[in-house]
Amino acid sequence: MKRLPDTELEVMKALWATGPDTPRSVLEDRLAPFGWAANTINTYLARLADKGFVAVRREGKSNLYTPLTDQEEYQAFDSRAVLDRLYGSPRNFVAALARRGLRPSELEELQTLLDQLNGGQSR
């Protein structure tokens, strides 16, 4: 899997929100806040199809688009890529967060998550 540029990721987010067999007109409506021309959206969809993220099916005069990559799967991949590229380890990431200051409630959430990942063992 490859990281997507922000623009293509926005198209994928729209597809994840709308689900399989989404007509381009629905995508254009969802992506309207970006102010992209129809040709621009077509270009992003073609790139995503070439990369294997999107399937395109012709129905009459329209194309229907289906995401081939699950949102959670991509988020897990992208999160790890960012972590590795910017911080090198989860410890360095949490240390960077701590330097900016974490609220007690955020620390509790992190501890709860760590406990869950560690099989429910407490501190």
Side-chain angles (χ1 to χ4, degrees), residues 1 16 69-80:
M1 189 177 299
W16 287 324
T69 302
D70 182 79
Q71 184 174 7
E72 290 80 20
E73 178 186 354
Y74 182 79
Q75 287 173 328
F77 162 79
D78 194 40
S79 297
R80 189 66 208 201

Side-chain angles (χ1 to χ4, degrees), residues 1-5 9 53 72-90 93:
M1 189 177 299
K2 291 177 71 172
R3 286 196 78 223
L4 294 173
L9 182 56
F53 281 88
E72 290 80 20
E73 178 186 354
Y74 182 79
Q75 287 173 328
F77 162 79
D78 194 40
S79 297
R80 189 66 208 201
V82 168
L83 180 81
D84 290 344
R85 188 170 33 101
L86 295 178
Y87 301 98
S89 73
F93 174 70

